[in-house]
Amino acid sequence: MSKKILVLGGSYFTGRVFVMVASQKGYELTVVNRGRFSVKSYENVTEYACDRHDYQTVSKLPLEKEYDAVVDFCAYAPGDIENLWSYLPCSVRRYIYISTADVHEKTAGIRNEESPMMSEGGADQVQSYTYNKMLLEKELFVSARQHDAEYVVLRPTFIYGPFNYAPRESYYIKKIIEGTSLPVPKETSGKFQMVFVKDVANAIVSCIEEEKAANQAYILSAPEVLDYQSFIRLLKSISDLPFTVEELPLKEIIEKNIPLPFPLTEADNELFTGEKITKDLPFRYSRLQENMKFTYENFRSVYQK
């Protein structure tokens, strides 16, 4: 029997790719989002345009009576999970929440699922967003028990791939296509890891299918470790267009607040081990080189005039 999945969000980047993958698997998908980017053209998809915070409208949606799982891409503020669950006119066996690896306290070392969680928020938007994600994880742990459901939390690091609206790899690919130089720090100790968007989608599928995923949290981070120099070398290996690099002093980048997308210093490292999910579930990370080339070719078709 085909699994019935309720998707909250699912029209932008990671959510859209998950809907594509899950549709191809034959899942019966009910997608609730604000309707800015429709996904109803995919097979096995029923879509309702609705803000999740409009609880009265949510309570009247003609949903299925039961879902094998709900996949939540768009809970951002405390109360988003608990309040929604109270108004859903259906029962859910498993609640899968897409969080972030940065709910773990920042460190220059490698973080895993047992690493300490952040203890306080911050004044800037990113710190506030991450702290709220951590609070929502705790909210889910409590509310899942209250509703006799299982939970799964997925914590991806930097996600890359087609449809990415965050200016990360797309920031540099766009500059290559436009023929402008790529700014990089002249001296930096910052390191980071990434995860391909389709790998995230496949991880969600594994967490829907596998009983062992119940009541677990998993970091999603492919094993390749990058810095700015190795990232530029990667771009050179996949690009069919020549490009130049503008090396900037780290002090100038910081003073002028130049918005480079990856960590600049060791204190800002984004290093994680994503091994736990590969040990628990039939899931494997795909290869960075091939995925980045695929991403480059997709963005080139968008950016090139």
Side-chain angles (χ1 to χ4, degrees):
M1 181 180 294
S2 175
K3 291 188 179 294
K4 293 181 171 62
I5 311 299
L6 176 61
V7 182
L8 304 175
S11 65
Y12 262 29
F13 175 34
T14 311
R16 175 174 287 270
V17 174
F18 168 72
V19 168
M20 293 168 63
V21 169
S23 170
Q24 292 168 0
K25 283 190 64 68
Y27 288 174
E28 295 179 36
L29 300 168
T30 302
V31 179
V32 177
N33 58 42
R34 288 176 294 178
R36 294 178 65 186
F37 299 94
S38 177
V39 293
K40 63 184 178 183
S41 61
Y42 299 118
E43 292 185 8
N44 310 311
V45 173
T46 301
E47 185 177 42
Y48 298 108
C50 175
D51 189 319
R52 68 179 294 148
H53 299 106
D54 183 356
Y55 299 118
Q56 293 302 320
T57 299
V58 168
S59 68
K60 296 174 184 177
L61 291 176
L63 304 181
E64 301 283 345
K65 291 183 179 180
E66 298 179 357
Y67 285 94
D68 295 287
V70 57
V71 184
D72 191 345
F73 291 95
C74 61
Y76 299 120
D80 278 356
I81 292 176
E82 182 178 353
N83 293 337
L84 178 82
W85 214 333
S86 299
Y87 283 91
L88 280 177
C90 61
S91 63
V92 174
R93 185 175 71 86
R94 182 172 292 182
Y95 199 116
I96 300 174
Y97 176 50
I98 312 304
S99 183
T100 170
D102 275 329
V103 295
H104 294 285
E105 198 72 56
K106 184 76 75 173
T107 174
I110 298 174
R111 290 173 273 179
N112 61 30
E113 289 84 356
E114 303 304 317
S115 298
M117 304 290 278
M118 63 189 307
S119 58
E120 59 183 4
D124 69 44
Q125 188 174 3
V126 173
Q127 290 176 324
S128 177
Y129 165 87
T130 306
Y131 187 66
N132 284 342
K133 284 280 192 180
M134 187 273 293
L135 294 178
L136 281 161
E137 287 191 18
K138 292 184 176 181
E139 187 174 296
L140 175 59
F141 302 154
V142 173
S143 59
R145 290 195 297 270
Q146 293 174 341
H147 292 272
D148 296 319
E150 301 164 346
Y151 67 80
V152 183
V153 172
L154 293 176
R155 300 169 180 159
T157 185
F158 292 128
I159 305 175
Y160 72 96
F163 306 118
N164 191 3
Y165 56 86
R168 291 172 184 155
E169 77 283 357
S170 60
Y171 170 81
Y172 283 107
I173 293 172
K174 186 176 182 181
K175 286 184 173 297
I176 292 173
I177 304 304
E178 293 174 342
T180 56
S181 60
L182 279 58
V184 296
K186 185 177 293 185
E187 66 286 329
T188 178
S189 55
K191 292 181 172 60
F192 59 96
Q193 289 164 278
M194 306 180 81
V195 61
F196 188 44
V197 63
K198 191 173 181 181
D199 285 353
V200 177
N202 286 331
I204 298 169
V205 168
S206 288
C207 291
I208 291 170
E209 297 280 350
E210 301 297 324
E211 287 301 320
K212 194 171 182 179
N215 303 324
Q216 296 294 321
Y218 294 111
I219 290 174
L220 299 180
S221 178
E224 297 94 342
V225 175
L226 297 166
D227 57 21
Y228 275 95
Q229 298 304 319
S230 58
F231 182 70
I232 293 299
R233 289 196 298 271
L234 174 61
L235 291 179
K236 287 183 177 179
S237 73
I238 63 174
S239 173
D240 56 350
L241 295 174
F243 61 84
T244 58
V245 173
E246 180 185 8
E247 291 191 334
L248 301 172
L250 186 58
K251 182 179 180 181
E252 180 181 343
I253 291 170
I254 295 172
E255 288 177 349
K256 294 183 178 179
N257 198 26
I258 298 173
L260 296 186
F262 302 119
L264 295 172
T265 67
E266 185 177 357
D268 297 320
N269 278 357
E270 293 286 341
L271 297 178
F272 305 90
T273 174
E275 291 182 350
K276 179 183 174 184
I277 191 170
T278 66
K279 294 177 179 178
D280 283 2
L281 308 179
F283 168 81
R284 296 292 179 270
Y285 295 102
S286 53
R287 296 185 55 174
L288 174 66
Q289 176 91 13
E290 296 171 2
N291 295 333
M292 195 62 74
K293 183 174 178 59
F294 179 76
T295 301
Y296 168 83
E297 291 170 348
N298 273 264
F299 276 119
R300 178 169 180 176
S301 67
V302 173
Y303 292 139
Q304 195 166 40
K305 297 179 181 179

